[in-house]
Amino acid sequence: MSSEKEHRVSRRQFLTYTLTGVGGFMAAGIALPLTRFALDPALEGGDEQEMVAVASVDELTEEPQRFDYSFEQEDAWHTSEVTQTAWLYLDGDEVVALSPVCTHLGCTVDWDSNEDFPNQFFCPCHGGRFEKDGVNVAGTPPTRPLDVYEMEVRDGTVYLGRPISRD
Amino acid sequence: MLQKIYDWVDERLDITPMWRDIADHEVPEHVNPAHHFSAFVYCFGGLTFFTVVIQILSGMFLTMYYVPDIINAYESVYYLQNEVTFGVIVRGMHHWGASLVIVMMFLHTLRVFFTGSYKKPRELNWVVGVLMFFVILGLGFTGYLLPWDMKAYFATVVGLEIAESVPVVGDFTKTLLAGGEIVGAQTLARFFAIHVFFLPGALLGLLGAHFYMIRKQGISGPL
Ligand code: FES
């Protein structure tokens, strides 16, 4: 009995609780779909990118060569043709496919383009350098190796997917 | 915790009188459904406001995906409705809410009319209310075009014909609204601007006046 007395809820308190409860429920019912709707791009993750035929293995040498290729990119309701570049070379029998995007701030690197640094990938923006296998040269701005493309060799043709970070 | 934050702010800014002035006032017996159930008719004004708030919120979120352009408008609506999680719900809120605002507003108008609440000294508030009625119809009309499908297109064609049938200024009004001779790229862009910036701005201003007047004059007496 006494415990019931201690738990007496005044009329005002009861109303506060019920109104806050009902109000909160309604507010959540409105806020929840809106929030999830807005967060969708962050929660859904990127679309799968199809593998694109880029070059035939016969064309490749030990020396990195530049290959430009285009494919259909789906961007929500908009589909467009985009062009991407890959540096391809043979390491023994293995095909290596490097992304040309500098891991410092995203400029485009070029192979063997600076006389002072032969046989390296050179980035003109801040002098970033990478070895042939894409590993960044210590003491230059980039902090990790060049990304490698997701790759598949089928019937002598090299197919590339999305670039993958090697860190 | 919340109480402490409140006290901290209140101590510095003295906010209690502000919200008391807005929220803490007695509900007269004749508008309180707890006393006379029929007093629920006095809820329609508040419900209209509530649905308007939902329209504003869902509309803000829809513009995150919608593009007011004749090439992409339909595709972007299709995408946000079918590909984005809860897109159906958010667009559904805006779609059904639009009709609900008009229904609620109409019921509110009927109540004000049949309780004679528009009489002196509240004539001005009636005038503001009627202006809002038109603003909301305008929101419905301009919003209808935005999905840029067949229904939207032909509804707008007809709507503009109606505007054109007005004597003297009809032609001018139609061209101005459509942004040219045809319902096309310019029409969509300006309907979007009107729907999203001009009319909501006007509506908020009028709502402010509407609420200020009702607080100043109090609710009308019993029948
Ligand atoms: S972006 Fe390549 S070195 Fe800075």
Side-chain angles (χ1 to χ4, degrees), chain A residues 102-109 122-130 140-142:
Chain A
C102 177
T103 54
H104 177 224
L105 293 173
C107 288
T108 306
V109 300
F122 180 75
C123 175
C125 291
H126 319 97
R129 283 184 283 134
F130 304 85
T140 65

Side-chain angles (χ1 to χ4, degrees), chain A residues 33-34 36-37 40-41 44 76-77, chain B residues 61 65 67 79 84-87:
Chain A
L34 294 180
R36 182 59 182 80
F37 181 75
D40 198 62
E44 280 308 304
W77 55 87
Chain B
F61 280 87
Y65 294 95
V67 189
Y79 177 83
V84 180
T85 313
F86 285 163

Side-chain angles (χ1 to χ4, degrees), chain B:
Chain B
M1 182 62 194
L2 279 179
Q3 187 65 39
K4 273 199 175 148
I5 296 175
Y6 178 85
D7 289 341
W8 191 90
V9 176
D10 194 39
E11 195 186 334
R12 276 142 252 257
L13 293 174
D14 197 22
I15 53 175
T16 304
M18 290 189 229
W19 71 257
R20 289 246 149 148
D21 188 48
I22 294 168
D24 200 15
H25 48 98
E26 218 149 292
V27 178
E29 193 186 313
H30 72 285
V31 303
N32 186 344
H35 287 274
H36 314 282
F37 182 66
S38 60
F40 75 85
V41 293
Y42 284 90
C43 290
F44 293 129
L47 287 174
T48 312
F49 178 63
F50 179 65
T51 39
V52 164
V53 170
I54 291 184
Q55 289 309 96
I56 292 175
L57 284 175
S58 54
M60 279 165 55
F61 280 87
L62 286 174
T63 52
M64 281 187 169
Y65 294 95
Y66 177 74
V67 189
D69 164 73
I70 51 171
I71 311 275
N72 292 303
Y74 179 80
E75 293 298 326
S76 68
V77 172
Y78 186 90
Y79 177 83
L80 76 85
Q81 164 140 356
N82 296 298
E83 302 292 328
V84 180
T85 313
F86 285 163
V88 210
I89 298 182
V90 176
R91 183 149 112 92
M93 281 162 84
H94 208 69
H95 175 98
W96 297 106
S99 300
L100 208 59
V101 172
I102 292 180
V103 170
M104 290 301 159
M105 177 177 65
F106 187 65
L107 293 174
H108 176 58
T109 313
L110 285 183
R111 189 233 95 204
V112 171
F113 184 77
F114 283 113
T115 54
S117 308
Y118 55 87
K119 291 175 186 167
K120 190 182 175 199
R122 299 186 178 78
E123 305 96 317
L124 273 179
N125 220 359
W126 173 267
V127 170
V128 169
V130 171
L131 290 179
M132 282 196 288
F133 197 106
F134 289 127
V135 168
I136 287 178
L137 289 185
L139 280 163
F141 177 60
T142 50
Y144 209 75
L145 177 69
L146 302 184
W148 200 248
D149 53 13
M150 280 296 161
K151 193 170 67 163
Y153 176 82
F154 283 105
T156 304
V157 168
V158 171
L160 291 176
E161 289 294 294
I162 295 173
E164 196 182 14
S165 67
V166 173
V168 191
V169 292
D171 254 338
F172 174 75
T173 317
K174 185 201 162 189
T175 313
L176 185 70
L177 279 174
E181 294 307 317
I182 58 163
V183 176
Q186 298 218 62
T187 322
L188 184 57
R190 73 181 36 213
F191 269 44
F192 179 73
I194 294 171
H195 185 77
V196 166
F197 295 108
F198 292 83
L199 291 182
L203 184 64
L204 288 179
L206 290 168
L207 266 180
H210 208 60
F211 289 158
Y212 175 76
M213 282 191 264
I214 195 69
R215 279 302 280 131
K216 184 98 177 168
Q217 300 176 319
I219 209 157
S220 58
L223 287 174

Side-chain angles (χ1 to χ4, degrees), chain A residues 37-155:
Chain A
F37 181 75
L39 291 178
D40 198 62
L43 297 181
E44 280 308 304
D47 297 326
E48 278 294 301
Q49 185 178 314
E50 273 190 39
M51 304 291 275
V52 190
V54 173
S56 99
V57 182
D58 314 336
E59 305 172 65
L60 305 184
T61 59
E62 298 273 312
E63 180 84 358
Q65 281 173 290
R66 180 186 165 132
F67 288 90
D68 292 332
Y69 58 103
S70 17
F71 58 96
E72 296 265 291
Q73 187 182 58
E74 276 208 29
D75 175 19
W77 55 87
H78 181 68
T79 313
S80 58
E81 177 115 337
V82 293
T83 304
Q84 228 168 39
T85 300
W87 286 98
L88 297 182
Y89 69 90
L90 287 173
D91 181 20
D93 283 343
E94 290 287 301
V95 178
V96 180
L98 295 175
S99 153
V101 179
C102 177
T103 54
H104 177 224
L105 293 173
C107 288
T108 306
V109 300
D110 207 349
W111 171 252
D112 203 19
S113 61
N114 189 305
E115 286 168 16
D116 297 337
F117 309 110
N119 293 324
Q120 283 187 334
F121 288 102
F122 180 75
C123 175
C125 291
H126 319 97
R129 283 184 283 134
F130 304 85
E131 300 294 352
K132 183 175 166 186
D133 60 359
V135 173
N136 50 310
V137 174
T140 65
T143 52
R144 59 187 171 87
L146 290 174
D147 294 349
V148 284
Y149 281 106
E150 195 183 344
M151 189 194 56
E152 208 173 274
V153 181
R154 246 185 289 137
D155 303 329

Side-chain angles (χ1 to χ4, degrees), chain A residues 14-29:
Chain A
F14 174 76
L15 274 174
T16 313
Y17 292 157
T18 28
L19 289 180
T20 326
V22 173
F25 185 73
M26 285 170 68

